[in-house]
Amino acid sequence: MDQILRGKEPSEVIPFGWEDPVLYYPVRHHSPACAWHLQRVIRRYRPDCILIEGPEDAGPLLPLLADPLTQAPVALYCSYRDDTRLLETPEEGNDDPAAPVGTYACYYPFLDQSPELAAIRAAAALGVPAQFIDLPYAENLLATRAGRALRQEGRPENYLNDHYLWQNAFWQRVCEKTGMRSFEEFWEKYYETAGFAMSDEAFVRQMNAWCVLARQATPQEEMEADGCLAREARMAVRIAAAAARYQRVLVVAGGFHLWGLMHPRPEQTRPAVPADSQAVYPVRFSFEAADALSGYASGMPAPAFYTAVWQAAQAAPADAFDPAALWDQTVLGFLVKCGRRLRREGEVLSAFDEMCAMQQARGLAALRDKKAPGLYEMQDAVLSSFVKGEANLSGCQPLRVLRQLTTGNGVGQLAPNSLVPPLVQDFQAQCRRYRIRSDKTSLQELTLEIFAKPAHRGASRFLYQTEFLGCGFARRTKGPDLRRNKDKNLIRESWEYRWTASVEAALVERSVAGSTVREACARELRQRMARAGRAGEGADLLLQGFLMGIGEDAGSFARRLEELLLGDGDFSSLCQACRALASLEEWQVQYGEAGRCDAAGLLGRCFDRILQLLPAMGAADDRGAPEVQRCCLLLYQITQRDAFAGMRPRLLAALEELAGQNPVQPALHGTALGLLYGADPGWKARIDTALRGYLQGTRGMMLASAAFLQGLFYTAKDLLLVDPGFLKQVDGLLCALSDQDFDALLPELRLAFSYFVPMETDRIARQAAALHRGAAGTLRQAGISPAEYSRNEQVDAWAAARLAEEAIP
């Protein structure tokens, strides 16, 4: 590597001298070898100031990152809201001031083995100032062309990116020449496993050699479009200012940038960014999010593995440091963990298999001329020694387990401080209170007995609050669903939840809404209620507030909903409001929210508004009819409650008016008559008359009979079960249909009969059979035994073989 710079020594391109007033140290982000040598360089160079590639507006967070109680992985969360539309190109511009503005966010992660974090900690230990010198996130965006780097659609949201080091055909050719399968394997061999055995000067020289070649292979236009040159110009200005103030300045930056820092372009003037539109917060991060193989472009793969390498290097005595033993013991530790985990999962694996795998990893390292086995030798050894049989989807459990172990599922921890938004702190406190794990990234399950245990009800409210804030933390998978009026017979709730870095980022964005999760939800609920334009939307928000246990504003919400009910003329919206209010009125006692608002009064007013519109809904089309049907049945069920029994006469009057219209949608006609029959069996004669009208009318009336039956069976299916005469009329309808008409009506007929349970359909089938055949069992077929089925399979196979012999297709 030392001789690839066209005959020049790397030191001639990027000087590295212990007496230089400004010493440039090249890094690859999250490289343990880079961080290890950086610690040694800092001890030898003894800088008066350390400058670090990072957003300069995050400078106040440096003491927090250096705090011993801060445990990596952690990250800086940078956000920008383009209130003044600085990022909109003329093509993207929008003259409407009410149009939504663009929002942007990214992470700057730190792992224990991150050279930047090592520099921050070393500066704190030496008592010398440290400083971030890169462009703030918003200015970085302004310097980047639309569709590139940080502004690229679908790009992983990270501030740093090492892609210049390997995204080039030349580097792919280098990997081929050296027999490496990927850049990461190349890097581990020549920089990680070999790096710990090098002197500081040799390691820096080799880093600079690679990075300078990467720079030469990257077009200037690409670096300009990505904002790379603008960032280097700003960092060069900050370096010059520090050099004028301090005698010895250490610059810690991506190796790709060092040439640009020493030969910068003049810094360009850009529009000023409003201070209140950008922010930087410290947040916890996870190994999973920092894994390069999961899309994090500026990281290295297997972060938990390289963290273990780093920790072993830190623990090793300086006077007896053995780089080969460092890697050897780390690989052995992961092989043992992998074997133990596989045995817990039921895999047949012995300690001897682990010994064979370790021996093979060492042999592969020797064969590949490596100082010690690394990640890729370990993966190959597991594939060879742990996978029993073919390496297919069912046989690769060892590789999946190894991948999980080397990636890790740990989450960092921030030292107590006032820089973390109170909303995030309250979220963590609530998780601890209800024993909800937020220190792992694996998917967790939780079952809550919401009616038996007050603590479980509190946990349910908290999870509903996180769901309402849209932070992506929890999802209810089972339990009573009051919003959709389903599964109300269940007494437990089941939730799935998973902490990710985006959860905390979303809470940071919401931190302006309140200092606690409950307070943020209450404010967001008030704002949404104020913006609501329909009664259905307002009632759903009221129900969500009930589920979240936010009842302090229930009175004002109720008044706002009354306004929406009075002004809403949309029947569908009123039906949605009626369903939500019916659930609220029915369940507020069970959920411990009784008396928060006058749900019964609101439901009564919604009931009145629907009755005013109901008769006119007879003209609804086929798509709108199901909503009206559901609403009619709901209103009927509401009047079965003692508190609303007095509303039954008005409902029946509205249904009678609906059924008496001409024309009327057939399904609604059947629904209304079925409900009227349920209240008064005397309506049976009216139903018979209506059915005869469909049977004996025009062909169009006959074709509408299936929809009529669907509506009738929806609300009064017992007619077909208790009245043989009615069954005979329906049978006559089906017999009178031609084959073509029967095929056309079949979907609706199936829907009509879907309201009957299997036992009821069996009973109807026997009665229908008796009408035509006089024998109840003619349409039934007994099942066959397993022995008969097996025998028939054998006969079928024998016949297929004979046909094949005779070449009969």
Side-chain angles (χ1 to χ4, degrees):
M1 289 295 296
D2 288 348
Q3 303 301 323
I4 62 178
L5 278 178
R6 300 179 183 177
K8 293 185 179 181
E9 287 289 329
S11 58
E12 298 178 26
V13 181
I14 301 177
F16 185 81
W18 297 110
E19 301 303 321
D20 293 343
V22 177
L23 186 66
Y24 293 87
Y25 185 86
V27 303
R28 183 188 175 190
H29 308 297
H30 315 313
S31 163
C34 284
W36 186 76
H37 279 287
L38 175 60
Q39 285 184 327
R40 290 159 53 95
V41 167
I42 292 174
R43 287 195 294 267
R44 292 179 62 183
Y45 185 64
R46 305 292 296 182
D48 300 317
C49 175
I50 300 178
L51 305 181
I52 304 166
E53 178 187 349
E56 60 183 11
D57 56 339
L61 303 180
L62 285 169
L64 173 62
L65 296 174
D67 194 306
L69 295 179
T70 294
Q71 301 174 13
V74 294
L76 304 178
Y77 177 72
C78 307
S79 65
Y80 171 61
R81 188 181 63 252
D82 193 18
D83 294 323
T84 54
R85 305 184 188 278
L86 297 176
L87 295 178
E88 290 185 352
T89 63
E91 295 78 14
E92 299 171 330
N94 195 322
D95 295 332
D96 182 8
V101 299
T103 56
Y104 305 84
C106 75
Y107 299 99
Y108 185 143
F110 298 93
L111 302 177
D112 277 326
Q113 67 270 27
S114 299
E116 297 86 353
L117 184 58
I120 293 170
R121 289 170 171 172
L126 293 174
V128 301
Q131 180 182 343
F132 284 133
I133 58 173
D134 205 347
L135 286 175
Y137 177 56
E139 293 187 45
N140 198 341
L141 289 169
L142 287 174
T144 304
R145 189 180 302 166
R148 299 285 305 185
L150 288 174
R151 298 179 63 184
Q152 184 177 348
E153 190 72 24
R155 178 186 183 274
E157 299 172 343
N158 57 84
Y159 189 91
L160 305 171
N161 199 324
D162 280 335
H163 74 279
Y164 289 123
L165 295 182
W166 68 82
Q167 289 186 1
N168 187 287
F170 174 74
W171 307 128
Q172 297 174 11
R173 184 62 176 164
V174 170
C175 291
E176 293 174 4
K177 283 290 187 181
T178 54
M180 300 293 104
R181 291 165 291 187
S182 66
F183 170 79
E184 295 296 352
E185 188 176 5
F186 172 89
W187 181 271
E188 186 185 72
K189 176 179 178 179
Y190 289 101
Y191 288 90
E192 300 299 335
T193 55
F196 282 98
M198 294 181 183
S199 67
D200 299 328
E201 296 86 350
F203 182 80
V204 170
R205 186 165 59 248
Q206 186 142 310
M207 279 287 298
N208 285 334
W210 182 270
C211 295
V212 169
L213 280 175
R215 181 104 185 177
Q216 292 175 345
T218 305
Q220 192 87 350
E221 297 77 11
E222 182 178 338
M223 291 187 286
E224 184 172 6
D226 290 346
C228 180
L229 300 182
R231 293 174 57 199
E232 291 169 353
R234 172 62 60 84
M235 287 191 280
V237 170
R238 298 294 181 254
I239 292 170
R245 182 178 179 184
Y246 299 100
Q247 292 185 348
R248 300 170 71 82
V249 177
L250 176 64
V251 178
V252 179
F256 182 87
H257 297 298
L258 295 193
W259 173 265
L261 298 182
M262 300 177 67
H263 307 84
R265 286 188 171 187
E267 188 172 17
Q268 297 180 355
T269 302
R270 282 177 291 274
V273 178
D276 59 351
S277 66
Q278 58 181 330
V280 182
Y281 290 101
V283 297
R284 297 181 299 161
F285 211 61
S286 67
F287 284 120
E288 195 172 61
D291 184 12
L293 296 180
S294 66
Y296 176 59
S298 67
M300 295 178 65
F305 174 77
Y306 288 114
T307 296
V309 171
W310 166 258
Q311 291 171 346
Q314 295 297 100
D319 57 348
F321 185 76
D322 185 349
L326 169 78
W327 287 89
D328 194 83
Q329 292 304 308
T330 302
V331 168
L332 177 60
F334 273 88
L335 287 175
V336 172
K337 290 179 185 177
C338 185
R340 187 182 302 125
R341 169 91 168 266
L342 288 168
R343 284 190 288 273
R344 285 202 307 265
E345 296 180 0
E347 294 285 333
V348 179
L349 199 72
S350 67
F352 181 72
D353 291 321
E354 296 170 8
M355 295 168 60
C356 291
M358 188 63 208
Q359 195 65 30
Q360 187 167 31
R362 290 168 176 160
L364 287 172
L367 186 64
R368 295 167 182 174
D369 195 25
K370 294 182 68 172
K371 303 292 184 181
L375 175 67
Y376 301 93
E377 288 70 38
M378 180 172 61
Q379 291 174 346
D380 292 339
V382 166
L383 178 62
S384 177
S385 301
F386 286 7
V387 177
K388 308 297 185 180
E390 184 181 357
N392 51 29
L393 288 178
S394 62
C396 281
Q397 181 66 6
L399 290 179
R400 285 194 290 268
V401 168
L402 182 65
R403 168 72 190 279
Q404 293 169 2
L405 292 173
T406 56
T407 297
N409 64 351
V411 176
Q413 187 64 46
L414 291 167
N417 65 93
S418 60
L419 300 173
V420 177
L423 178 62
V424 178
Q425 297 182 38
D426 180 70
F427 170 82
Q428 296 171 3
Q430 296 294 334
C431 286
R432 291 191 295 271
R433 176 183 179 184
Y434 296 115
R435 299 181 180 179
I436 296 173
R437 300 201 64 172
S438 64
D439 59 344
K440 300 290 183 183
T441 58
S442 54
L443 187 66
Q444 306 288 326
E445 295 183 353
L446 181 66
T447 299
L448 301 174
E449 299 180 26
I450 54 177
F451 301 117
K453 299 180 180 179
H456 285 204
R457 176 64 186 132
S460 173
R461 289 169 175 166
F462 169 66
L463 293 174
Y464 273 116
Q465 290 167 11
T466 64
E467 192 177 45
F468 183 75
L469 288 178
C471 62
F473 177 64
R475 181 178 69 90
R476 188 184 56 79
T477 58
K478 189 182 296 184
D481 189 345
L482 304 190
R483 296 181 65 193
R484 295 172 178 81
N485 204 34
K486 294 180 179 179
D487 300 326
K488 291 186 176 181
N489 60 313
L490 301 180
I491 61 174
R492 294 182 179 88
E493 281 183 348
S494 296
W495 290 81
E496 289 181 349
Y497 66 91
R498 183 184 184 190
W499 188 93
T500 63
S502 61
V503 170
E504 214 143 288
L507 293 172
V508 168
E509 292 294 332
R510 295 284 191 177
S511 60
V512 295
S515 58
T516 67
V517 175
R518 180 189 176 93
E519 183 182 333
C521 287
R523 180 174 180 179
E524 178 70 17
L525 196 61
R526 287 193 295 270
Q527 292 176 347
R528 292 192 194 180
M529 183 65 82
R531 296 194 302 265
R534 295 287 187 185
E537 182 183 358
D540 182 62
L541 289 170
L542 188 63
L543 184 56
Q544 289 187 68
F546 161 73
L547 293 172
M548 293 186 290
I550 300 175
E552 57 268 24
D553 293 318
S556 62
F557 291 163
R559 289 190 293 273
R560 172 58 180 159
L561 184 54
E562 285 188 34
E563 297 174 2
L564 294 172
L565 288 171
L566 291 174
D568 196 349
D570 184 88
F571 187 82
S572 177
S573 173
L574 291 171
C575 291
Q576 294 172 18
C578 186
R579 276 193 293 272
L581 291 171
S583 294
L584 182 60
E585 191 275 336
E586 181 182 9
W587 288 85
Q588 58 183 353
V589 174
Q590 288 89 329
Y591 276 80
E593 294 287 330
R596 294 287 189 170
C597 71
D598 184 14
L602 289 171
L603 182 57
R605 283 183 278 281
C606 184
F607 195 102
D608 291 337
R609 289 288 294 133
I610 292 177
L611 289 187
Q612 295 172 10
L613 301 176
L614 182 59
M617 299 310 297
D621 57 18
D622 293 343
R623 288 186 300 176
E627 178 68 28
V628 183
Q629 287 181 279
R630 289 190 292 268
C631 182
C632 290
L633 182 58
L634 175 63
L635 296 178
Y636 190 85
Q637 292 169 343
I638 290 173
T639 58
Q640 290 177 328
R641 305 178 191 177
D642 293 339
F644 300 95
M647 298 180 177
R648 175 66 66 84
R650 287 188 292 137
L651 172 61
L652 297 178
L655 290 172
E656 184 174 356
E657 185 178 353
L658 174 64
Q661 292 183 7
N662 189 16
V664 60
Q665 207 277 342
L668 297 181
H669 190 193
T671 299
L673 289 177
L675 292 174
L676 290 167
Y677 168 78
D680 180 8
W683 278 86
K684 172 62 169 55
R686 179 76 174 271
I687 293 174
D688 290 339
T689 301
L691 183 58
R692 283 196 299 272
Y694 283 102
L695 292 174
Q696 300 172 4
T698 63
R699 181 174 181 273
M701 288 288 290
M702 182 175 290
L703 292 177
S705 59
F708 173 79
L709 289 176
Q710 180 267 320
L712 186 65
F713 294 162
Y714 179 61
T715 54
K717 66 177 183 178
D718 59 306
L719 269 173
L720 198 61
L721 298 172
V722 302
D723 189 344
F726 191 78
L727 175 65
K728 192 171 183 179
Q729 291 184 66
V730 174
D731 181 73
L733 161 67
L734 299 178
C735 291
L737 294 172
S738 66
D739 291 345
Q740 182 180 1
D741 291 342
F742 181 80
D743 290 341
L745 291 179
L746 189 57
E748 288 191 77
L749 287 171
R750 284 176 173 165
L751 178 61
F753 282 93
S754 67
Y755 302 117
F756 298 94
V757 298
M759 185 176 64
E760 293 171 339
T761 56
D762 190 56
R763 175 182 170 185
I764 293 170
R766 288 197 301 269
Q767 293 175 352
L771 290 176
H772 292 276
R773 303 176 184 271
T778 54
L779 298 182
R780 303 187 66 184
Q781 181 177 357
I784 64 173
S785 67
E788 290 176 304
Y789 185 83
S790 178
R791 173 62 179 166
N792 290 338
E793 278 193 323
Q794 293 175 6
V795 171
D796 185 66
W798 177 85
R802 299 291 80 75
L803 291 172
E805 289 176 1
E806 300 295 333
I808 299 176

